Amino acid sequence: MTTVGFIGSGNIGGTVARLAAKAGYDVVVSNSRGPETLAGLVAEIGPKARAATAAEAATTGDIVVVSVPFHAHTTLPAEELAGKVVLDTDNYYPQRDGQVAELDEGTLTSAELEQQHLKAAKVVKVFNNIFFKHLGNLARPQGAGDRTSLTIAGDDAEAKQAATAFLDAIGYDAVDVGPLSESWRVEPGQPAYGPPYGSFEDPIGTPASAETVRAAVAAASRPAS
């Protein structure tokens, strides 16, 4: 069974780790504060989980979930992630991350900048547009009538296939929105960022079909330049 590494194990990373372990994956979690600070999460997840450094999580994981503040993406271990499928959950929030001209001007997406830093990794944007409580609650078995779809974007076809298979295993279908250059369609402020899955006030969330998600993605717009 595939091992999933986690660089960042907060709300989204921790939620995906729980779902992955429940689906039978081994998970290696890490954060910026050290493995000892993750004892509670490891104990909660159980024997499928262990804590490590970010570099070890990157090296050990067949798939690696990156869930760090966008401004920290330049600290990601590019050498250890070379050749790996990297599931990028990050979002750019200027008030937290500082202004980034390429993102403010719309010439690049945050995922493209992360791909530039990670060079030989295969980045797939996923999990960035859903509230972590909804992510934990909306997983459904394959074939369920109320199964939810999540968006993916990436430049590598095989990596997107791996991401789709992982989503399927943890309880979700995938809607492919295209290459990383199109991932702006699911970034903060766009119709697909949040609303398809319910309001933040409702921790349970609302199942979102592929049709619902595709419609939200199609409604995305950028200010005229």
Side-chain angles (χ1 to χ4, degrees):
M1 177 59 83
T2 300
T3 296
V4 185
F6 290 82
I7 301 177
S9 302
N11 288 339
I12 288 290
T15 299
V16 178
R18 293 178 186 94
L19 291 171
K22 185 176 179 181
Y25 293 95
D26 292 319
V27 300
V28 180
V29 295
S30 72
N31 63 16
S32 61
R33 292 170 291 137
E36 66 280 358
T37 67
L38 291 165
L41 178 63
V42 169
E44 178 192 342
I45 294 174
K48 302 295 288 184
R50 68 182 179 89
T53 65
E56 187 179 358
T59 300
T60 306
D62 301 294
I63 294 173
V64 181
V65 178
V66 168
S67 191
V68 300
F70 173 74
H71 64 76
H73 79 274
T74 55
T75 68
L76 294 171
E79 183 175 342
E80 288 84 353
L81 289 170
K84 300 290 181 78
V85 175
V86 173
L87 304 185
D88 166 33
T89 81
D90 301 346
N91 285 306
Y92 167 56
Y93 300 109
Q95 66 273 24
R96 178 196 66 189
D97 299 312
Q99 303 293 146
V100 179
E102 299 97 322
L103 303 184
D104 294 338
E105 295 163 3
T107 56
L108 289 173
T109 64
S110 61
E112 287 179 296
L113 286 179
E114 294 199 19
Q115 179 67 80
Q116 286 181 8
H117 170 71
L118 294 177
K119 298 180 175 66
K122 303 169 184 177
V123 174
V124 179
K125 190 78 169 183
V126 62
F127 301 125
N128 72 294
N129 65 324
I130 184 170
F131 185 38
F132 77 96
K133 291 183 180 180
H134 297 166
L135 179 62
N137 287 321
L138 292 176
R140 300 287 189 274
Q142 193 176 63
D146 62 346
R147 206 176 204 216
T148 286
S149 290
L150 298 177
T151 59
I152 62 170
D155 296 337
D156 185 282
E158 289 186 359
K160 287 200 281 190
Q161 289 175 357
T164 298
F166 178 64
L167 287 180
D168 182 44
I170 67 171
Y172 289 93
D173 292 332
V175 168
D176 187 348
V177 304
L180 295 177
S181 61
E182 289 295 300
S183 62
W184 66 268
R185 296 180 177 277
V186 296
E187 288 178 347
Q190 297 295 345
Y193 179 85
Y197 310 106
S199 71
F200 287 174
E201 287 72 30
D202 172 20
I204 302 302
T206 303
S209 67
E211 292 73 20
T212 296
V213 173
R214 288 193 189 100
V217 171
S221 64
R222 275 175 162 170
S225 57

